[in-house]
Every structure is written in C-alpha cells, then in structure tokens.
Amino acid sequence: TEKDGLIHGLSAQELQLLAEQCFEAKTKAYCPYSLFRVGASLLLNTSSPTTSASHIITGANVENASYPVGTCAERVAMGSAIMAGHRLGSFKAVGVSTDIADFCSPCGMCRQFLREFLGLDTPVFMFNKEGTWIVRTMGELLPLSFGPDVLPPRE
Amino acid sequence: TEKDGLIHGLSAQELQLLAEQCFEAKTKAYCPYSLFRVGASLLLNTSSPTTSASHIITGANVENASYPVGTCAERVAMGSAIMAGHRLGSFKAVGVSTDIADFCSPCGMCRQFLREFLGLDTPVFMFNKEGTWIVRTMGELLPLSFGPDVLPPRE
Amino acid sequence: TEKDGLIHGLSAQELQLLAEQCFEAKTKAYCPYSLFRVGASLLLNTSSPTTSASHIITGANVENASYPVGTCAERVAMGSAIMAGHRLGSFKAVGVSTDIADFCSPCGMCRQFLREFLGLDTPVFMFNKEGTWIVRTMGELLPLSFGPDVLPPRE
Amino acid sequence: TEKDGLIHGLSAQELQLLAEQCFEAKTKAYCPYSLFRVGASLLLNTSSPTTSASHIITGANVENASYPVGTCAERVAMGSAIMAGHRLGSFKAVGVSTDIADFCSPCGMCRQFLREFLGLDTPVFMFNKEGTWIVRTMGELLPLSFGPDVLPPRE
Ligand SMILES: [Zn+2]
Ligand SMILES: [Zn+2]
Ligand SMILES: [Zn+2]
Ligand SMILES: [Zn+2]
C-alpha cells in the first residue's frame, strides 16, 4: 500500500493534513448527550502533494435531545462538501478521529451516506486519540453496498 | 409584526439576503430521487441591518439511495453553523425555499434539529418559488417541543 | 372536548386502555444510552367503546450505540401498525408515556412519521409518570406540515 | 457452510420459512415514493428445525414524504422483536427480499441497527426476486463495527 512514496494514494503531507484537520474538527463537536466527540475530514482530489487546508472539508457530530435526530461528523462534513459543489469523483480520502484508544470506524449510516459520493477504493483513515491509524477502503467498510446504480435516480 | 421598520426583527436588507441565499443554496441540492430541491439559510445574530453574505450560512438537501439516510437542507445548514462555532443564541432567522407554488415548511425532523439551537421566538421564513413568504416562529412550528432542558445533558 | 361522554372522541374505557398500553409498552424499551424510557400506543378506529387490547398497537424506543441510528417508541408502534395492514384512516388516537413528571411530546421526527398516517384531527395523548395527561391533535403538533399531498407519490 | 445438513446453521425448513416470510412481509410495504418494496424476516433462536411461523418476526419499509424520516424493513422487523422482549442472543438469522434480479443488501443504517442485537456470526440471507440467495454474516456486512462494547451504556 506504499508505492511511489504514497500511502494509499496520499503523500505524507496530505495524510498529515487529513489527520490534523479531523482532530481540529473534533473540537467543534456538539455532543452533550454522549460526551463522545468525533471529527471527520474529507480530502479533495484537487489537492496536490503539498496541499493546503483549503482542500479539506471537515465536520463534527451534532447531537439532539431526541437522539435519533442528531447527526455524525462524517455526514456534516459531506453535507458541506456537497454544498461546495463536490460530487462523486471529488474525494481522495476520508479521516475520522475520536478521543478513544481504539480505532473508531464510521457508523453504518455514515458509511451509506459516504458511499453515495465516494469511489469504492477511496481510503478511510481511522485515527485513535494518539494519532495512530488504520485504513480501510469504502468498499471494504460497506461490502455489497448499493448506491445510485441499484436504486436508479428518477429522471 | 412590523415595527421600527423591522420585519420579525429583520431589516429589509436582511430579509432580502435571507431569501436570496436560500434560493441560491437550492441550486446545490443533490436530489436525484425526489427531484425536489430545497435550500435553507441561517441569518446570524452578528449581522447588522446592512449585513453581508458572510453572515449567512446555507444548506441544501442531500439524498441517498437508501432514502432514510439522506438529509435535509436545514440540517446541512445547521451542521455547517455548528462547525463554525455557532450555538444557541447565534441565530436571528431561518429561510427555506423550494420550487413549488405552495409554502413548504421544514419537516418535523428538521424542526427538532433546529430547536436544539434556536430560540422559540426565532422566525422561520418559508418562501415559495415566486419569493413570496409566510413566517412562523420556531415555537409555533414545534409546539410543546423538548430540547436540552427536558433531556438534560450528561455531565 | 367532552361531549356524548366522549373525551376527544374516545370512551373512558378506550382512554384507559390507551394509557395502560403505552405504560406497559414503556417496560420494553431498549435505552441503555439515554436511560429514558418511552412507550407509545395506537388506538385503531375499529375499536368499540368497550374495546380490548387487541385493538391497540404499541411500541417503545430502541436505541443504538450510534445515537442517530436508534428509533423512537412512536415509530416502532407505527411500523408494526403498517405491517398489520393499517394505513391513513385506521387510527383513532395516539398515547405516549415516559418516566418524568412533565408531559413529554413526540419528537419532531415522530410527528412527521405519524403525520403520514394520521388525520390532522387525531388526538395525541401525552401522559406523565402519574398518568395525568394533556392532549393535542396531530395538526396542532405539526402545524403547516406536509405529507403525501405536497410531495406526491411517484405513480 | 453446509454441515450436519444445516445451511449456515439453519435447517432446510428454517431457511424456507425465512424466505417465505420476508417475501410475504414485502407485500405490506408502504413505499409510494420509491416504489421499491423490501421485506425482512428475523428467525428466533428458539426455533426448532421444524419450526413454525410463530418463530419469525417480519417487517417492511415504511416511507415518508420527508424521505429521511422513513424507515426500512429490517428496522421495522427488529423494532417489533425488541417490543416482544428479544435482545442480543435471540436471533438465529435474518432474511431480506426485494423485487429486483440482483441481491439487495441491508443499507448501512440497518446494518448498524441490527448490529446492536445480532452476533457477528449471524447469517443475513439476501434473496432476489426469484428466491435465489446469497449470504453474509453480520460481521462481514459491517466490518470493524462498533456496538455497545465501544460506546458503553450509561449505567
Ligand atoms: Zn455515523
Ligand atoms: Zn427536513
Ligand atoms: Zn421521536
Ligand atoms: Zn435500511
């Protein structure tokens, strides 16, 4: 998974930026009910090996007194990305960070939300509180998934 | 509801900006399943009577092949606002716009999501496709609602 | 609201049954995250003034480690009702009960879910832990709502 | 995967029942927006090799004019199961059926919802419209998932 000096397609600088930005995003979480902060970062394909923060879009979890009404970091980040005009093909990598020692993956709902816009080979980096990471592709996280191809758009 | 030249607390310029921005936001919608575009705008309390677009945060609906996994314009906008550090007390008004002749209100899920961060007297302007509007307060749209006060945060 | 001996259209026995059943339903709640039990009951229009429990369908909240993925008592009850073949026109009243002294209303998401199948004049009874209640109609709980009439079905 | 005459732990009769019941459940779907019917069935561990329908709990999708407010067949089925007192350890297999020629898997949100109550080795059978099936375990469908073990309950 490391070739040409790239880590799952990312330069060392890009991976560091992805990590820094999802850690920073976590500080914006509104999570008075779970006290479980999550940050997410999306690296755009327009980024270069020596990319800047302007090529990253971030999100944090936003909870609600009615728990099912809240939303997760990954979906907040992707919502902002869609608003910025990005679509399938725009994303190079995803980062997720929490405050626990384990590696925390996106919940199933977020995997489905992301899958609408990510290639199946897009890497999702999961950082623990120390900044150590594991990585899985979108397709690995949601095998046999269905997207726009299965339930075709209306027009 | 019009006193001191204000319309539900907004200057004419603020109301025009709120309208323009939720109409503009609508063009970013990803809605291949419903073909029903929705735009939302949040006016910040830091705005002045001759405010600029920088005091508005917007969102559009983002659908998913698994319909329940998608999200609405109002929640995308509020997610971005929370990421920007805004909280209860930050919001002066909400705007919602669609492509239909009727006035379309936020769905119940969005009313609950917004209620966590809006005062009960915050006005929600609903614009039809012509730009004509009706307005209701947060408290009118979700009477007898519960928020952080009923289900107290953990700490 | 009391005429012909009826309370919002229900006989005293029906109202007692509605209350008993949503209190009983509450005991089935799976809520290890909020520790906030909710029960819901749906009275069918096929019930008679001296109705039996077979004309009631109930639900309780089912939470999830990913909070937004959980669901509420009202939606569990209505899901079972739809499975039993009930649709718009089937429901005479809704009951909701919790363990707090205040009257707790359905969250906005549940109001929207219920609205698809309830008449706007259907009463929703909210019971506090003592069994005292307040009541609001579906239309009062979700004013200016939209349902199948606004976003028309596909066919 | 076939040993002792069992198919992923199920007898031929159990598997047939699982299939029949999720096909039957599909007919109860309320899906005027997607026109995409889904049925789900849950086989209880209390079933015997010559089990009866009473050991199966079913669900179908219930949509909403506000698409994100709707719910899926799998969650309706599991909601009913929780109401009936079942919990982690109660479930022997899951069945899902649709009207398409492809095998349709549970969406990510449902995988997360089910994961709270299924063992990671519980088989999920996905039936196409012809009744042919593929199977994956819960753990295969949601690798690296988190449940009550990661985000510990409150008490
Ligand atoms: Zn999530
Ligand atoms: Zn909404
Ligand atoms: Zn609810
Ligand atoms: Zn689903």
Side-chain angles (χ1 to χ4, degrees):
Chain A
T1 58
E2 280 202 42
K3 54 181 176 184
D4 307 333
L6 296 183
I7 307 147
H8 294 273
L10 275 62
S11 70
Q13 293 101 317
E14 286 178 319
L15 182 53
Q16 185 175 344
L17 184 64
L18 190 75
E20 285 171 358
Q21 290 288 310
C22 67
F23 271 79
E24 167 67 17
K26 195 173 55 179
T27 65
K28 312 295 180 54
Y30 173 81
C31 52
Y33 307 105
S34 72
L35 303 181
F36 191 89
R37 302 187 308 164
V38 185
S41 50
L42 303 171
L43 182 68
L44 299 175
N45 262 324
T46 52
S47 69
S48 65
T50 56
T51 193
S52 74
S54 65
H55 296 101
I56 293 258
I57 294 172
T58 61
N61 48 329
V62 180
E63 298 189 343
N64 191 275
S66 174
Y67 288 13
V69 171
T71 188
C72 300
E74 299 91 328
R75 285 179 282 146
V76 168
M78 186 56 86
S80 292
I82 298 303
M83 276 308 290
H86 301 293
R87 293 292 189 271
L88 180 61
S90 297
F91 305 99
K92 195 168 185 173
V94 177
V96 181
S97 96
T98 70
D99 292 320
I100 62 175
D102 262 342
F103 303 102
C104 192
S105 64
C107 82
M109 188 178 187
C110 286
R111 296 182 196 192
Q112 183 73 46
F113 193 86
L114 293 174
R115 190 264 186 241
E116 190 92 11
F117 305 110
L118 296 187
L120 293 180
D121 57 349
T122 304
V124 178
F125 292 85
M126 294 159 268
F127 300 93
N128 69 4
K129 68 177 176 181
E130 311 293 353
T132 307
W133 51 268
I134 59 172
V135 65
R136 293 292 185 280
T137 64
M138 181 69 248
E140 285 170 339
L141 287 178
L142 199 66
L144 288 179
S145 66
F146 66 91
D149 40 310
V150 171
L151 194 64
R154 188 174 279 208
E155 73 216 296
Chain B
T1 58
E2 281 201 43
K3 54 181 177 183
D4 309 332
L6 297 182
I7 307 149
H8 295 272
L10 276 63
S11 70
Q13 292 101 316
E14 286 178 319
L15 182 53
Q16 185 176 343
L17 184 63
L18 191 76
E20 285 171 359
Q21 290 288 309
C22 67
F23 271 80
E24 167 65 18
K26 195 173 55 177
T27 66
K28 311 295 179 55
Y30 173 81
C31 53
Y33 306 107
S34 72
L35 303 181
F36 191 88
R37 304 188 306 167
V38 185
S41 51
L42 303 171
L43 182 68
L44 298 175
N45 263 325
T46 52
S47 69
S48 63
T50 55
T51 194
S52 75
S54 65
H55 296 102
I56 293 258
I57 294 172
T58 61
N61 48 328
V62 179
E63 299 189 342
N64 191 275
S66 174
Y67 288 14
V69 171
T71 188
C72 301
E74 298 90 331
R75 285 180 281 148
V76 168
M78 186 56 86
S80 292
I82 298 303
M83 277 306 292
H86 301 293
R87 292 293 190 270
L88 180 61
S90 297
F91 305 99
K92 196 168 186 172
V94 176
V96 181
S97 96
T98 70
D99 293 320
I100 61 175
D102 262 342
F103 303 102
C104 192
S105 65
C107 82
M109 188 178 188
C110 286
R111 296 182 196 192
Q112 183 72 46
F113 192 86
L114 294 174
R115 191 266 187 238
E116 191 91 11
F117 305 110
L118 297 186
L120 294 180
D121 57 351
T122 304
V124 178
F125 292 85
M126 294 160 265
F127 299 93
N128 70 2
K129 67 176 177 183
E130 311 293 351
T132 306
W133 51 268
I134 59 172
V135 65
R136 293 291 185 282
T137 65
M138 181 69 247
E140 285 170 338
L141 287 177
L142 200 66
L144 288 178
S145 67
F146 67 91
D149 40 311
V150 171
L151 195 64
R154 187 172 281 209
E155 74 217 293
Chain C
T1 58
E2 280 202 44
K3 54 180 176 184
D4 309 331
L6 297 182
I7 307 147
H8 294 273
L10 275 63
S11 70
Q13 293 101 316
E14 286 178 319
L15 182 54
Q16 185 176 342
L17 184 65
L18 191 76
E20 286 172 358
Q21 290 288 310
C22 67
F23 271 80
E24 166 67 18
K26 196 173 55 179
T27 65
K28 312 294 179 54
Y30 172 81
C31 51
Y33 306 106
S34 72
L35 304 181
F36 192 89
R37 303 187 307 165
V38 185
S41 50
L42 303 171
L43 182 68
L44 299 176
N45 262 325
T46 52
S47 69
S48 64
T50 56
T51 193
S52 75
S54 65
H55 296 101
I56 292 260
I57 294 172
T58 61
N61 47 330
V62 180
E63 298 189 343
N64 191 274
S66 174
Y67 288 13
V69 171
T71 188
C72 300
E74 298 91 328
R75 284 180 282 147
V76 168
M78 186 55 86
S80 292
I82 298 303
M83 276 307 291
H86 301 293
R87 292 293 189 270
L88 180 61
S90 296
F91 305 99
K92 196 168 185 171
V94 176
V96 181
S97 96
T98 70
D99 292 321
I100 61 174
D102 262 342
F103 303 102
C104 192
S105 65
C107 82
M109 188 178 187
C110 286
R111 297 182 196 193
Q112 182 73 45
F113 193 86
L114 293 174
R115 191 266 186 238
E116 190 92 11
F117 305 110
L118 297 186
L120 294 180
D121 57 350
T122 304
V124 178
F125 291 86
M126 293 159 267
F127 300 92
N128 70 2
K129 68 176 176 183
E130 311 293 352
T132 307
W133 51 268
I134 58 172
V135 65
R136 293 291 184 283
T137 65
M138 181 68 247
E140 285 170 339
L141 286 178
L142 199 65
L144 288 179
S145 66
F146 67 91
D149 40 311
V150 171
L151 195 63
R154 189 173 279 210
E155 75 219 290
Chain D
T1 59
E2 281 201 42
K3 54 181 177 183
D4 309 330
L6 296 183
I7 307 148
H8 294 272
L10 275 63
S11 70
Q13 293 100 316
E14 286 178 319
L15 183 53
Q16 185 175 344
L17 183 63
L18 190 76
E20 285 171 358
Q21 290 288 309
C22 66
F23 271 80
E24 167 66 17
K26 196 173 54 179
T27 65
K28 310 294 179 53
Y30 173 80
C31 53
Y33 306 106
S34 72
L35 303 181
F36 191 89
R37 304 187 306 166
V38 185
S41 51
L42 303 170
L43 182 68
L44 298 176
N45 263 326
T46 52
S47 70
S48 64
T50 56
T51 193
S52 74
S54 65
H55 296 101
I56 292 259
I57 294 171
T58 62
N61 49 328
V62 180
E63 299 190 342
N64 192 275
S66 174
Y67 287 15
V69 171
T71 188
C72 299
E74 298 91 330
R75 285 179 282 147
V76 168
M78 186 56 86
S80 292
I82 298 304
M83 276 306 292
H86 302 292
R87 293 293 190 270
L88 181 61
S90 297
F91 305 99
K92 196 169 187 172
V94 177
V96 181
S97 96
T98 69
D99 293 321
I100 62 174
D102 262 341
F103 303 102
C104 191
S105 64
C107 82
M109 188 178 187
C110 287
R111 296 182 197 193
Q112 183 72 47
F113 193 86
L114 293 174
R115 191 264 186 238
E116 190 92 11
F117 305 109
L118 297 186
L120 293 180
D121 57 349
T122 305
V124 178
F125 292 85
M126 294 159 266
F127 300 92
N128 70 2
K129 68 176 177 182
E130 311 293 350
T132 306
W133 51 268
I134 58 173
V135 65
R136 294 292 184 282
T137 66
M138 181 69 246
E140 286 171 337
L141 287 179
L142 199 66
L144 288 180
S145 67
F146 67 91
D149 40 311
V150 171
L151 193 65
R154 189 174 280 210
E155 73 217 298

